[in-house]
Amino acid sequence: MSEATDPTLPSKQSTILPKLFNRTLRIALVAEGPGDLEVIQAALKAILPNPFVLTLLQPEATQPQLGTGWGGVAKWCHETQKRHQGSLDFDPTLACFDLLIIHVDVDVGGFEYQDYDPKDEPYFSKMAQDNAWKCLPCQQPCPPVSATVTSLLEVIRSWLGQAIPGNQTCFCLPAQSSGTWLATAVLPPSHPCLQGGECDPNVEKRLAQLPKQQRIKKSVRNYRVHAPKVTENWQNLKQCCSQAQAFETEILTILQTDPHLESS
């Protein structure tokens, strides 16, 4: 497990979220990659009024057989349902966490299982077939992006099998990718790179091809350098990216309704 700690987080949401707890939140993250962690952590800094510790469960250096990317998330879900059936709230291996965030980029809805990693074939496609995973691609006409999000959520739930998302499970599905959130945070709204909005699967790629002063190639280092802009410009980002607003709403709903997070 790798951890990212922010013990001095300012109270940006204090006007809309009551103080429900008086301790540091413990959050587990299952993500496509460590670069995505940087963007999601920056979003959480804008959303949460309290300090938190973010622990990356997947990808994990001690579990290299699971790989990275969306296929790594699928394999993590599959391994989870092998060791635990029922609500993830009661999975003993997750008992030390207040929240579990599962991240998959929405552009995954346009892929097939055989697209994940040629080195993993035919094993990965056979895993999907043997475990009755929902079909990919599941992409729907866009706009609205919500149609693909709904279909992709069904796919992810099928990866989890008998492990059921609980009241402390939150899905983070950036459209079309976490790179779209980063591009929206660092570029002016009128920039040509952003004109396709959440329906454009190539925003992240174009962000990496901009002139040198604006170019951000996807790497942990580059995303870490620019991620503070996600925190700084979160309010504007939410107006452009409905999935950012959906992520915030789901996080705040969990904090407001989960009794085990309340202060005693």
Side-chain angles (χ1 to χ4, degrees):
M1 294 182 187
S2 56
E3 294 188 353
T5 308
D6 187 3
T8 58
L9 184 66
S11 298
K12 293 184 177 65
Q13 291 287 349
S14 58
T15 59
I16 63 171
L17 180 66
K19 186 177 181 181
L20 298 178
F21 42 88
N22 52 15
R23 58 175 173 77
T24 299
L25 266 181
R26 302 158 300 182
I27 305 174
L29 175 63
V30 175
E32 292 191 28
D36 302 296
L37 175 145
E38 300 298 333
V39 174
I40 294 168
Q41 179 176 241
L44 290 171
K45 289 179 182 180
I47 296 168
L48 295 174
N50 290 65
F52 64 87
V53 175
L54 184 63
T55 301
L56 186 63
L57 300 184
Q58 168 62 31
E60 170 54 50
T62 63
Q63 298 286 334
Q65 71 276 12
L66 297 184
T68 60
W70 62 272
V73 175
K75 292 177 187 177
W76 182 91
C77 291
H78 180 65
E79 290 300 311
T80 297
Q81 64 89 28
K82 285 168 62 178
R83 71 167 185 267
H84 175 79
Q85 296 187 355
S87 172
L88 289 172
D89 289 352
F90 302 104
D91 182 347
T93 65
L94 300 173
C96 63
F97 298 109
D98 300 304
L99 297 172
L100 168 65
I101 298 174
I102 299 176
H103 157 257
V104 177
D105 286 336
V106 171
D107 64 2
V108 172
F111 300 152
E112 300 182 29
Y113 287 110
Q114 65 189 34
D115 296 332
Y116 167 56
D117 185 348
K119 294 180 293 184
D120 240 5
E121 287 300 320
Y123 168 76
F124 192 61
S125 294
K126 188 174 188 301
M127 180 188 290
Q129 183 176 4
D130 291 348
N131 292 281
W133 290 353
K134 296 284 188 180
C135 291
L136 285 176
C138 66
Q139 195 173 53
Q140 304 297 314
C142 187
V145 73
S146 58
T148 298
V149 169
T150 299
S151 297
L152 185 57
L153 276 171
E154 290 301 310
V155 172
I156 299 169
R157 290 176 185 274
S158 75
W159 297 345
L160 285 164
Q162 296 302 309
I164 302 168
N167 294 329
Q168 296 160 233
T169 304
C170 174
F171 292 99
C172 180
L173 306 180
Q176 289 286 311
S177 68
S178 64
T180 303
W181 286 7
L182 185 62
T184 304
V186 301
L187 298 174
S190 60
H191 196 283
C193 186
L194 302 177
Q195 295 314 295
E198 291 186 298
C199 294
D200 185 351
N202 296 311
V203 173
E204 184 175 276
K205 182 184 298 184
R206 285 202 297 273
L207 182 64
Q209 298 171 343
L210 290 175
K212 188 173 182 179
Q213 288 187 329
Q214 292 182 311
R215 183 186 311 152
I216 304 177
K217 294 184 178 181
K218 188 164 189 179
S219 71
V220 175
R221 179 183 179 278
N222 287 340
Y223 273 40
R224 182 175 297 148
V225 167
H226 294 281
K229 285 292 186 180
V230 173
T231 308
E232 179 183 336
N233 295 326
W234 183 248
Q235 296 305 317
N236 290 332
L237 197 160
K238 288 189 299 179
Q239 294 178 11
C240 299
C241 301
S242 63
Q243 283 305 109
Q245 179 64 69
F247 179 55
E248 177 178 295
T249 299
E250 190 168 358
I251 289 285
L252 296 182
T253 298
I254 291 172
L255 297 185
Q256 290 171 321
T257 59
D258 193 335
H260 101 284
L261 291 175
E262 294 181 3
S263 300
S264 56

